[in-house]
Amino acid sequence: MTFARPDHISDPDTLPRMPAWVTSAHAETLEDVAFLSGAALNHLHLVLGREDVPKALLRDRLALRAAAACVAFTGRSERETELRDAVHLLRPGDLPGPAGETCQAWRRAVERPVSIKALGRALPAFEPGQIAAWLDAGKGLPVTRAVMVLEAVLREAPRADVAGLIVADAALAQALGWEHVVPLLAAALKRADLRKQGDDLRLAGHRALISSAVEAVRLSTDLARRAAHLEAVAPKLRAKGAGDAVEMFLTRDAVAPSALPLPDRAARRLCDRLVYLGAVRELTGRDTFRLYGV
């Protein structure tokens, strides 16, 4: 595996910034909020088109945030740190628990290009035909379509918040021409918003997407910079399998040393080396059962 950055990939610091007027405007009417959400999503669309943005890593990290929001909707206490443990420290035969299942659903939803089959893998409790019918419930422009899908799912299955938000994000991705689900709605909606309907839900959806698009652009810039640094230090790594390990860090929110394609001791040494080089971070603050990520 080669780590040289292609000449046509730009400096991450040149990623376009979200226009200040998108974040500073105080829109109240549905029309004005819809205009701002369209501007924010268009800007995010441009950022996602950049080759220096590690899109799989971005999606996985946004999936974690979406999962944490959905878990909070249920009144559970698990946050991002606990959710990482729930999915990355599972042993063979272990069950992830309700919060871990939510995290796994979001991670599976973003791993593969949008399709009924991929959504069915993320949401095995629902039949493919049902998922297809929900996707077809959305009409009109992208945000309206996504909100209609969310409303359709929750009308038929009022407790299926996770399914509704995943399928709604899938509808948004399809409408915007994105190949994969990009989790946006869950992290910025409030629990009470999920019980709204019609224009009230549309207004909440537009506001949520403004907030989430701004955050996704900020995160894209940060991850592009971190990924560039990891690729820059990668040639210094001598361990056999280091190339595949680096690729894992560039596509996953968190990695346990035991998941790396190296012997245990070599994997831990590689992680320590990457931390020393400032290329990855230890995410748990623990001395054992550590997780690492860009």
Side-chain angles (χ1 to χ4, degrees):
M1 178 179 179
T2 179
F3 297 103
R5 292 180 65 78
D7 293 338
H8 64 276
I9 294 182
S10 305
D11 186 334
D13 289 330
T14 68
L15 281 173
R17 296 182 179 181
M18 184 73 70
W21 56 266
V22 173
T23 57
S24 62
H26 297 287
E28 296 296 335
T29 68
L30 178 57
E31 180 181 16
D32 289 343
V33 175
F35 175 78
L36 292 176
S37 73
L41 287 170
N42 180 68
H43 189 84
L44 176 58
H45 180 80
L46 295 175
V47 169
L48 292 177
R50 292 279 297 246
E51 294 186 40
D52 41 357
V53 173
K55 288 176 273 293
L57 173 57
L58 173 68
R59 293 193 305 270
D60 202 33
R61 192 148 291 175
L62 290 175
L64 178 68
R65 295 184 179 185
C70 289
V71 169
F73 289 159
T74 68
R76 298 185 63 91
S77 61
E78 293 93 339
R79 296 298 181 260
E80 292 183 10
T81 299
E82 290 83 8
L83 292 178
R84 281 190 177 116
D85 286 353
V87 298
H88 292 290
L89 300 180
L90 276 180
R91 294 175 297 182
D94 284 352
L95 297 176
E101 288 178 354
T102 295
C103 192
Q104 286 182 334
W106 276 104
R107 296 188 72 225
R108 288 169 180 163
V110 305
E111 284 175 347
R112 301 180 182 183
V114 179
S115 68
I116 301 302
K117 182 177 181 179
L119 292 173
R121 180 172 173 268
L123 303 168
F126 300 96
E127 295 293 330
Q130 180 64 80
I131 294 172
W134 284 335
L135 275 177
D136 288 341
K139 309 295 180 185
L141 296 175
V143 179
T144 299
R145 179 177 173 182
V147 169
M148 290 178 68
V149 167
L150 177 59
E151 190 171 3
V153 175
L154 295 180
R155 185 187 308 116
E156 186 167 336
R159 298 175 64 87
D161 295 348
V162 174
L165 289 162
I166 286 177
V167 180
D169 272 331
L172 182 67
Q174 287 183 328
L176 292 170
W178 295 345
E179 186 175 3
H180 292 79
V181 171
V182 179
L184 294 174
L185 282 166
L189 283 173
K190 298 179 176 63
R191 170 67 175 170
D193 291 332
L194 300 180
R195 303 299 165 243
K196 294 177 180 177
Q197 297 179 345
D199 284 351
D200 289 339
L201 182 57
R202 287 176 60 198
L203 184 63
H206 282 296
R207 285 177 170 157
L209 288 169
I210 295 169
S211 175
S212 288
V214 169
E215 174 58 21
V217 168
R218 185 206 64 77
L219 184 58
S220 296
T221 302
D222 180 54
L223 291 179
R225 186 178 299 111
R226 292 177 181 275
H229 181 56
L230 174 56
E231 290 180 333
V233 305
K236 300 178 182 179
L237 306 174
R238 303 304 179 191
K240 185 178 180 180
D244 291 335
V246 167
E247 186 61 27
M248 291 176 67
F249 282 113
L250 289 172
T251 56
R252 302 185 187 185
D253 163 69
V255 179
S258 60
L260 295 175
L262 291 88
D264 287 347
R265 185 173 298 178
R268 291 194 296 270
R269 284 201 303 266
L270 176 65
C271 290
D272 289 342
R273 175 70 170 158
L274 288 171
V275 171
Y276 174 78
L277 293 170
V280 304
R281 297 168 294 161
E282 202 288 309
L283 301 172
T284 69
R286 297 187 296 246
D287 292 331
T288 59
F289 300 105
R290 289 179 161 185
L291 298 173
Y292 298 83
V294 172

